[in-house]
Amino acid sequence: MTSQNLQLGVIGLGTMGANLARNAARNKAKVAVFNRTKEKVDAFMVAHGSEGEFVPFHTLKDFVKALKKPRPILLMVKAGDAVDIVMQELLPFLEKGDILLDGGNSHFRDTQRREKELAEKGIAFLGLGVSGGEEGALHGPSMMPGGDHHAYKKIEPLLKKMAANDGTGGKCVSYLGRGGAGHFVKMVHNGIEYGLMQLIAECYDLMKNIGHSSNEDFAKIFDEWNAAELQSFLIEITAQIFAKKDPETGDSLIDLVSDVAEQKGTGKWTTEAAMDLGVAIPTITAAVDARILSADPLQRKQLNTENPESLPEPYPEQKSIAELCRSALLLSWLATYGQGFGMLMAASKEYQWNLSFPEITRIWGGGCIIRSSLLTRFRDMFAAPDSEKESLKAQILDLARGERQVDWRRLIAIATGSGIPVPALSASLAYADAIRRKRLPQNLIQAQRDFFGAHTFQRIDKEGAFHVEWRN
């Protein structure tokens, strides 16, 4: 596909599908659109038909015929069975060489299966992770494709036009690997997103209930943080959220939002995949757990007490809660990125994807939800020559030393003593402490396992597996 002959078929005109279709059309592609509901196609054309070269269809047969071979077709339907159903409905009209792209949040194992099934029929398949929300989809997302490399090269000219700028002269799209590599990277991206959002929420809780900051204070605080080391998309939008007033009441809208948070699957999949790989991602797991706990407000109401048992503040007020939160959030943010990259490294080895970490961090530099100035430090480290990597890694670790680390510990002690849960902040600190320890207490666990189950254990002074009779 040359830049002069750009085309794309889009199936599924929900918010993301519609905006990606508009994005492609604005970049001079001919875009065929289809949706199961005829009314949605018609409404899309009324609202956006003048934005580019759109061709609407109400049958899949006509939709496919409108595209030139090899036909690139983007599926923007709900992950799971719906993808398989649409694929089966499309197959009678497809020909060898055609390209299907799944732009939803599909499980990477489903993507691997689908690529294999379609390859047997001569049809290429790409799992396309897309991050950036509805605005990113329209103006430039980060895109994480994996699957058939030959097919990617055919669709690459259009994807590069559609993707966000990476801030270094490139575009936020890059082929990541075969099979489910693209969707796996997107899944880990979403897991990191879960962690970062929970960390921000915990700091908000502490600043509100211990620091007694107002919503106006929060808007200013997050604006200030976004102008410094915590510069990021999530901090930026958080400042805007606290400044938003409800048009009906004039009150801060955030105070009227329910505290029940959904989790749609990718966070849970990330924790499951990490366990399969034997990788610890405690901040991300804590964030998933926090959403699950939030989902039962009736139980929380029944167990609520206005005056929970708590300790006196364990430290004198040397700094404001906001100052402590700033340090703790920065270091926890670094720990969360580290957990995500550790998981990606393990997956790359396990599934033989040969993931490029300079490329992953580069395409996360624009358009996506987890972009930040801290991520840029990881990008610089991964992209540096081997002779410079250790120095850049040391610079990242230096951020977690000194007064900031004291602030981190002080904040968690204050939160715990006050009965305010900070699962993600605590998990981040525990992770950082565990990976730096020369010796962990799991030697006792190994002894216990051998005691009751004869599971054997290893010794530090000699090779082999050992079992002893522990009873005297």
Side-chain angles (χ1 to χ4, degrees):
M1 183 187 300
T2 66
S3 59
Q4 289 77 33
N5 189 31
L6 299 176
Q7 61 169 349
L8 183 67
V10 178
I11 296 177
L13 295 176
T15 301
M16 289 293 290
N19 280 2
L20 286 170
R22 295 169 64 194
N23 185 334
R26 290 179 177 186
N27 282 288
K28 309 305 179 184
K30 172 186 175 182
V31 183
V33 294
F34 173 85
N35 197 84
R36 281 182 174 275
T37 308
K38 175 181 179 295
E39 290 75 17
K40 185 161 282 190
V41 176
D42 295 340
F44 174 87
M45 292 304 297
V46 169
H48 308 296
S50 62
E51 296 177 8
E53 188 180 355
F54 293 109
V55 189
F57 293 97
H58 298 135
T59 70
L60 283 176
K61 181 178 181 180
D62 291 338
F63 167 84
V64 172
K65 285 175 63 177
L67 297 167
K68 296 179 181 178
K69 295 187 291 184
R71 306 175 180 93
I73 298 174
L74 175 62
L75 307 182
M76 293 301 299
V77 298
K78 186 177 180 180
D81 293 342
V83 178
D84 291 311
I85 291 170
V86 173
M87 280 173 47
Q88 291 303 314
E89 291 175 346
L90 271 172
L91 279 176
F93 312 116
L94 300 179
E95 300 179 65
K96 288 185 177 181
D98 287 343
I99 304 167
L100 288 187
L101 302 93
D102 176 10
N105 281 326
S106 289
H107 196 286
F108 76 99
R109 294 193 186 280
D110 286 338
T111 301
Q112 291 179 159
R113 169 180 57 81
R114 289 163 184 152
E115 184 194 18
K116 183 178 179 181
E117 291 173 354
L118 289 177
E120 294 172 355
K121 303 177 186 300
I123 298 168
F125 188 79
L126 289 167
L128 181 66
V130 180
S131 176
E134 58 181 292
E135 285 297 310
L138 180 61
H139 299 294
S142 172
M143 293 190 276
M144 295 153 256
D148 188 304
H149 183 256
H150 183 65
Y152 169 73
K153 296 305 292 184
K154 292 181 179 178
I155 193 69
E156 183 181 49
L158 177 57
L159 295 183
K160 281 192 170 183
K161 285 179 173 292
M162 294 172 64
N165 296 321
D166 67 2
T168 62
K171 303 291 282 189
C172 292
V173 60
S174 181
Y175 177 78
L176 297 177
R178 59 185 180 82
H183 273 146
F184 190 95
V185 171
K186 176 54 164 54
M187 177 189 73
V188 174
H189 166 284
N190 283 19
I192 293 171
E193 179 185 309
Y194 269 60
L196 301 184
M197 293 170 70
Q198 178 64 25
L199 291 168
I200 295 171
E202 290 174 15
C203 287
Y204 153 62
D205 196 9
L206 292 169
M207 289 188 289
K208 178 177 181 178
N209 291 294
I210 297 179
H212 307 294
S213 296
S214 66
N215 291 327
E216 289 73 20
D217 294 332
F218 290 136
K220 182 179 179 181
I221 288 168
F222 282 99
D223 260 336
E224 290 174 350
W225 289 0
N226 191 53
E229 284 181 311
L230 283 166
Q231 187 279 321
S232 63
F233 173 76
L234 284 170
I235 296 293
E236 177 186 351
I237 66 168
T238 301
Q240 295 174 18
I241 286 169
F242 285 115
K244 183 69 174 178
K245 300 294 183 181
D246 176 42
E248 296 181 14
T249 65
D251 298 329
S252 293
L253 185 56
I254 185 63
D255 293 333
L256 303 175
V257 177
S258 165
D259 65 346
V260 176
E262 295 181 350
Q263 57 99 12
K264 295 185 177 180
T266 48
K268 180 185 75 172
W269 293 346
T270 308
T271 62
E272 290 174 343
M275 290 179 184
D276 290 340
L277 290 166
V279 177
I281 53 167
T283 306
I284 296 169
T285 300
V288 176
D289 287 342
R291 293 199 190 189
I292 293 171
L293 284 167
S294 80
D296 193 351
L298 179 60
Q299 181 187 50
R300 287 187 281 122
K301 183 177 181 180
Q302 292 170 341
L303 297 176
N304 176 258
T305 171
E306 289 299 321
N307 298 296
E309 295 178 8
S310 60
L311 297 172
E313 186 177 311
Y315 293 98
E317 283 193 25
Q318 299 172 351
K319 291 185 177 181
S320 71
I321 292 297
E323 289 177 292
L324 299 181
C325 280
R326 182 172 183 165
S327 295
L329 183 57
L330 185 146
L331 300 189
S332 298
W333 203 291
L334 289 173
T336 307
Y337 280 144
Q339 292 166 40
F341 288 125
M343 185 173 175
L344 288 173
M345 289 174 184
S348 183
K349 181 178 180 181
E350 175 71 18
Y351 302 118
Q352 299 180 336
W353 284 332
N354 193 30
L355 294 176
S356 170
F357 290 91
E359 279 296 273
I360 291 172
T361 49
R362 183 187 67 78
I363 65 176
W364 283 356
C368 79
I369 303 300
I370 66 171
R371 63 187 187 267
S372 75
S373 59
L374 291 176
L375 183 60
T376 303
R377 292 177 177 266
F378 287 91
R379 182 182 69 191
D380 293 343
M381 180 188 69
F382 286 128
D386 290 342
S387 60
E388 299 176 17
K389 286 187 188 299
E390 285 304 314
S391 173
L392 291 170
K393 181 179 179 180
Q395 291 178 28
I396 295 173
L397 294 175
D398 282 344
L399 293 172
R401 297 189 174 100
E403 190 65 22
R404 283 196 183 102
Q405 188 178 126
V406 175
D407 290 347
W408 198 6
R409 297 181 188 282
R410 181 178 290 127
L411 181 71
I412 291 170
I414 292 171
T416 303
S418 303
I420 295 179
V422 285
L425 288 167
S426 299
S428 301
L429 178 58
Y431 171 82
D433 283 341
I435 62 174
R436 71 170 179 82
R437 287 287 299 278
K438 184 176 181 179
R439 186 165 170 81
L440 293 167
Q442 273 64 37
N443 57 319
L444 177 57
I445 292 173
Q446 291 298 82
Q448 290 169 331
R449 294 178 72 246
D450 188 56
F451 189 113
F452 64 71
H455 292 292
T456 75
F457 60 93
Q458 293 177 323
R459 296 174 60 116
I460 63 174
D461 59 345
K462 61 179 75 174
E463 296 290 328
F466 298 87
H467 168 64
V468 301
E469 179 54 56
W470 293 91
R471 291 180 175 85
N472 294 324

